[in-house]
Amino acid sequence: MKIALDAAAGDFGPGPNIDGAVQAANAWGIEVVLVGPAEKIRHELAARSVAASDKRFEIVDAPEVIGKGEEPSIACRAKPGCSIMTACELAAKGSAAGVVSAGHSGATMVAALWHIKRIEGVLRPAIAAPIPTLNGTAVLLDAGANPDCKPWHLLQFAVMGSIYALHILKRDRQRVGILSIGQEDGRGNDLVKESIPLLKSSGLDFLGPVDGRDVPAGTIEVVVCDGFAGNVAVKVMEGTSQSIFQLLKAEVLAGWLAKTGGLLLRGAFGRLRRRMSYDEYGGAPLLGVEGSVVICHGKSNSKAIANALRVAKDLADSGINGRIRKSVDEIKQNLETSRVSI
């Protein structure tokens, strides 16, 4: 079970990627294919006392990396041997069971579609972001891959999200909600209004429209929306949680009494921080492609990279793509039989 890691990508370069690879190998026995500038990777491994003979790590040279400011399609065409294109090519050839990257998310999607391809029947793959809630972990998709969507896309997102919630998140229920500005069917934009009949006829556990407050409250396990709204929602939640912890820290340090209380609650604060931190979730899988692809935050540290490698391995082990293929086909046939417009 080898996972290809885009080893030089991300805001902080190869350091966190190599540290994360070593952590994943030590913790879960994951073999990692380190894709990037070979000499730099060898230097980073040697600096961490990893022997050149360590079979858990394979190095594949890919000197070029796609930068954050580059247009994904143009960059992938211009740099066919760049790290993310090479990593996805390895997965397509069966030399790796999955791909992890903290680099340009758009380039990761382009490279995955280029080499790994879509699951048959899936119109658009979606980034499935794990969301901590009061009742466990939910999944929101799409979290940024598709800024503009059609109703049929959102239905497929709901199908893929439900399968992910059941088989990866191990949620007993897979309640689906469509992100809107209220809980009434008549509210929301045209995409929301046109998607509701499809979702109601799908056979999924569809609860209807939900607003932003319902997501962290844990009333649903699967949230569907277009990639523009989803990306904004995820980043607002990330930023809010970080701001809350900064405010708590400032209040705790404000006086000796608060410091005493903070010491007593240190364990609880630590558990809460871990529950809210994206480091613990590693990254967001790109559902709908014939492989295991995990997209990480650009600012991922070594812990996030290690957990992303674990997520990629779990996805590869799960057989989730076959379930997605079967469910997408079944729902399409059911809707065609019931003459619901798709």
Side-chain angles (χ1 to χ4, degrees), residues 46-314:
R48 291 157 178 79
S49 301
V50 177
S53 58
D54 194 327
K55 299 299 183 181
R56 299 176 301 172
F57 305 103
E58 177 185 346
I59 300 173
V60 173
D61 188 38
E64 294 183 296
V65 176
I66 293 180
K68 292 178 69 173
E70 297 185 71
E71 202 285 324
S73 298
I74 295 174
C76 286
R77 289 190 182 93
K79 302 176 181 179
C82 69
S83 56
I84 188 57
M85 287 285 280
T86 301
C88 288
E89 186 176 10
L90 290 171
K93 291 179 177 178
S95 299
V99 176
V100 170
S101 177
H104 195 312
S105 58
T108 301
M109 181 167 176
V110 169
L113 292 175
W114 192 310
H115 288 295
I116 301 173
K117 312 298 184 184
R118 294 183 185 89
I119 293 173
E120 183 179 356
V122 172
L123 298 176
R124 292 190 184 181
I127 298 174
I131 304 294
T133 76
L134 292 178
N135 293 324
T137 305
V139 60
L140 181 148
L141 62 172
D142 177 33
N146 306 282
D148 298 302
C149 294
K150 301 295 185 183
W152 179 241
H153 302 146
L154 265 59
L155 174 58
Q156 290 195 341
F157 296 169
V159 173
M160 295 190 292
S162 296
I163 293 171
Y164 184 79
L166 174 62
H167 295 285
I168 302 299
L169 300 180
K170 307 299 183 184
R171 301 306 304 268
D172 294 332
R173 293 190 65 181
Q174 302 85 48
R175 295 170 293 183
V176 177
I178 183 170
L179 191 63
S180 185
I181 57 173
Q183 297 179 343
E184 300 81 20
D185 287 2
R187 302 185 69 183
N189 58 18
D190 290 342
L191 175 61
V192 171
K193 294 175 184 177
E194 292 169 10
S195 299
I196 289 174
L198 277 179
L199 290 164
K200 284 183 175 180
S201 304
S202 66
L204 298 170
D205 189 2
F206 178 58
L207 299 189
V210 296
D211 61 33
R213 293 169 297 186
D214 296 317
V215 179
T219 57
I220 46 177
E221 287 73 40
V222 182
V223 186
V224 295
C225 56
D226 63 78
F228 183 89
N231 190 269
V232 171
V234 168
K235 288 179 178 176
V236 166
M237 283 186 275
E238 285 181 358
T240 300
S241 65
Q242 291 171 3
S243 297
I244 288 173
F245 279 109
Q246 290 175 5
L247 289 170
L248 280 172
K249 184 177 180 180
E251 290 296 326
V252 167
L253 296 175
W256 68 269
L257 189 59
K259 289 180 183 178
T260 303
L263 287 173
L264 294 173
L265 292 171
R266 186 174 181 178
F269 285 150
R271 290 190 296 273
L272 180 60
R273 181 183 289 276
R274 287 191 294 272
R275 186 170 173 180
M276 300 293 291
S277 174
Y278 63 79
D279 299 347
E280 299 292 329
Y281 299 94
L286 181 64
L287 299 182
V289 295
E290 285 283 10
S292 171
V293 178
V294 177
I295 296 174
C296 303
H297 200 294
K299 299 185 184 300
S300 292
N301 57 25
S302 59
K303 186 175 185 179
I305 297 298
N307 279 318
L309 290 164
R310 174 185 53 78
V311 170
K313 179 182 182 299
D314 290 345

